[in-house]
Amino acid sequence: MAHIDLNSDLGESFGPWRMGDDAAMLDIVTSANIACGFHAGDPAGILATLRAAAARGVSIGAHVGYRDLVGFGRRNMNPSSAELVGDTIYQIGALQALAHVAGTKVRYVKPHGALYNTIAHDARQGADVIEAIRAVDPGLVVLALAGAPFVEQARSAGLAVVCEAFADRAYNADGSLVDRRLPGAVVHDPAEVAARMLKLVTDGTIVAVDGSEIALDAQSICIHGDTPASVEIARVLRAQLASQGVSLVPFATSHG
C-alpha cells in the first residue's frame, strides 16, 4: 500500500493577528511545521498550537526562518554564517522548550520561505543550517525540497533527509517552485490539488507550468496553512488519497 505524510506550516499567528486555522488543519495533517518566532508566531500562540498537535498525535517540526517578521520570512536575506547558525540554533531550542512543556518533542526541522528556497541551491547558507541542526541534535530529520542540491548536501553531512512536494504551489520545469510574485504560482482549486498530488503519489511525477512532466521523489506533501482555502484543500486531498488506498502517516515517528 502506498503511503505519504501530509505537513502544514502552523503556529504563524501573532498576537491578535490570526493566520490560518491551526485546530482545523491539525485534524487533517500528520506533521506540523511550527513557526519559531522569527518569521511568525508568538510564544503563547506557538505553545497552544503545540498542545493541540500533541493531543492529536501530530509530529512536530521546527519551522526555522530568517529574522523577518515584517516580511513573513519571504524576503531574500544574506546573513553572515555566524548569524544564521546562531539564529537557527536559537529557534530550534525555543521550540524544543515549548514542545517539552506541551508534552511533545521536535522531531525534524524544515526551513521556511526565503531561507528554504535559498538553501536549496546556496551551499554556504545550506551548510550553516546543517551546522546548526547538527549542533543541536544530529538525529533531527530535515524536511527539504525534492530534487534540490541541498538534499545531498545534508545527507553527505550525516543528516537524515525527507523530501517534500508542495500541493498548492506550481512548479517550473527544473523542479523549482514558481516565484510567488508570478501569476499562477499558487494553486487554489482543491480538486486540482488533489488530482496532481494523487498523480505524484502513484506515478512519482507532477506537471510543470510549461506542461512537461517532472519526476519528484517525495515522502511528504506540504499544504500551506496561510492560504484562504488551505483547510478545504487539505480535506479534499486527504479524502482523495484515502479513497485510493493511500495510507497517511507521519515520516518522523521514531526519533528519540
Side-chain angles (χ1 to χ4, degrees), residues 35-41 64-70 73 86-88 90-91:
C36 301
F38 272 32
H39 81 274
V64 300
Y66 290 134
R67 190 187 294 268
D68 181 28
L69 279 176
V70 173
D87 282 358
T88 303
Y90 187 97
Q91 291 175 83

Side-chain angles (χ1 to χ4, degrees), residues 68-69 77 97 114 169 176 256:
D68 181 28
L69 279 176
M77 293 186 172
R169 291 293 306 279
S176 63

Side-chain angles (χ1 to χ4, degrees), residues 6-14 19-37 39-42 45-50 52-54 56 58-64 72 95 108 110 112 222-227 230-231 234:
L6 295 183
N7 77 79
S8 187
D9 305 340
L10 304 176
E12 293 181 326
S13 295
F14 193 83
M19 181 71 76
D21 187 342
D22 287 3
M25 194 65 83
L26 285 168
D27 286 332
I28 303 168
V29 299
T30 47
S31 297
N33 322 310
I34 308 295
C36 301
H39 81 274
D42 62 84
I46 292 169
L47 181 57
T49 297
L50 286 166
R56 294 163 173 80
V58 174
S59 183
I60 298 300
H63 204 29
V64 300
F72 199 66
L95 195 69
Y108 66 95
K110 176 184 171 178
H112 163 82
C222 178
I223 305 158
H224 284 98
D226 63 315
T227 52
S230 59
V231 173

Side-chain angles (χ1 to χ4, degrees), residues 183-229:
V186 179
V187 183
H188 298 285
D189 179 37
E192 181 182 355
V193 169
R196 66 203 296 264
M197 288 300 101
L198 182 61
K199 178 177 175 60
L200 174 71
V201 175
T202 56
D203 299 341
T205 62
I206 194 167
V207 178
V209 288
D210 67 351
S212 63
E213 282 196 3
I214 54 177
L216 287 180
D217 179 18
Q219 298 79 51
S220 185
I221 294 171
C222 178
I223 305 158
H224 284 98
D226 63 315
T227 52

